[in-house]
Amino acid sequence: PRNYCFVTSYRCNLACSYCFQSNEEMRVVTNRMLTMEEARSGVATLKADIASGRAGSKHRTPVMLFGGEPLLPNQREIVQYIVTEAVALGFPVTATTNGMFLHLYEDLIGPSGISSFQISLDGDAAAHDARRIPVNGQPTFTGIWNNIKMALARGAQVDLRCNIDKRNLDGF
């Protein structure tokens, strides 16, 4: 079976010093957002691959939501469309996210929606908040932690995606 990935946005609400998105070459694409027309085209590909047998029959690979930050608030309508269509077609859906906006997608989280996540967390609150900084400079750990607990309570699987080095090793 094929693998499917929707990059809903190259933008991110954080400015982590170690992220590839802060690379000079990537900055030229940071304003790129997936459009509804492109989302519909991607879903049409899923349907065509099902019809041709290229999507697999019994065990379909997950449709991945990825980006910069794939769950930005302004992409809600597009994410909802992708999730609803993919699940209706028998695909599990997963997302790689910083987890800050999960509460805005709560109704789409769980076994019949976005069923698994890779969420970035860089140690305890002090280590994390020193490394994963939004434009407004406010701490992010507590909000992300609460969103992780909500996703788990809704039946989603959560894998922590940690960036570990000597500066935050003690926080783990």
Side-chain angles (χ1 to χ4, degrees):
R2 293 183 173 189
N3 292 308
Y4 303 96
C5 182
F6 287 84
V7 178
T8 65
S9 169
Y10 282 101
R11 292 181 187 174
C12 186
N13 55 303
L14 299 180
C16 306
S17 61
Y18 55 81
C19 182
F20 75 93
Q21 291 291 58
S22 62
N23 177 299
E24 286 293 327
E25 294 172 12
M26 288 303 296
R27 287 189 181 143
V28 297
V29 296
T30 56
N31 288 325
R32 181 81 170 84
M33 305 287 278
L34 188 72
T35 66
M36 185 59 83
E37 181 180 332
E38 291 165 335
R40 286 188 179 110
S41 177
V43 168
T45 298
L46 296 177
K47 291 176 180 178
D49 283 359
I50 289 171
S52 70
R54 290 186 299 254
S57 54
K58 280 189 173 180
H59 303 288
R60 296 202 170 115
T61 60
V63 168
M64 166 72 80
L65 302 174
F66 196 75
E69 172 51 48
L71 302 179
L72 290 173
N74 63 353
Q75 289 297 88
R76 165 70 198 209
E77 180 183 3
I78 289 168
V79 169
Q80 182 172 344
Y81 171 77
I82 293 167
V83 171
T84 301
E85 292 293 318
V87 168
L89 293 169
F91 289 93
V93 179
T94 185
T96 299
T97 175
N98 62 36
M100 286 193 62
F101 300 116
L102 288 187
H103 59 285
L104 301 177
Y105 290 84
E106 185 171 359
D107 61 311
L108 297 177
I109 295 173
S112 61
I114 307 172
S115 57
S116 68
F117 295 89
Q118 284 188 15
I119 298 177
S120 305
L121 204 63
D122 286 358
D124 63 12
H128 176 89
D129 287 341
R131 297 165 61 93
R132 303 193 61 78
I133 304 167
V135 176
N136 66 12
Q138 296 299 308
T140 59
F141 181 89
T142 300
I144 294 168
W145 189 250
N146 289 337
N147 282 338
I148 289 170
K149 292 190 293 186
M150 176 271 296
L152 290 169
R154 294 190 59 83
Q157 175 182 325
V158 175
D159 297 321
L160 296 182
R161 184 176 184 163
C162 304
N163 185 300
I164 304 170
D165 60 34
K166 65 183 177 180
R167 295 173 295 161
N168 69 338
L169 185 58
D170 290 341
F172 281 94

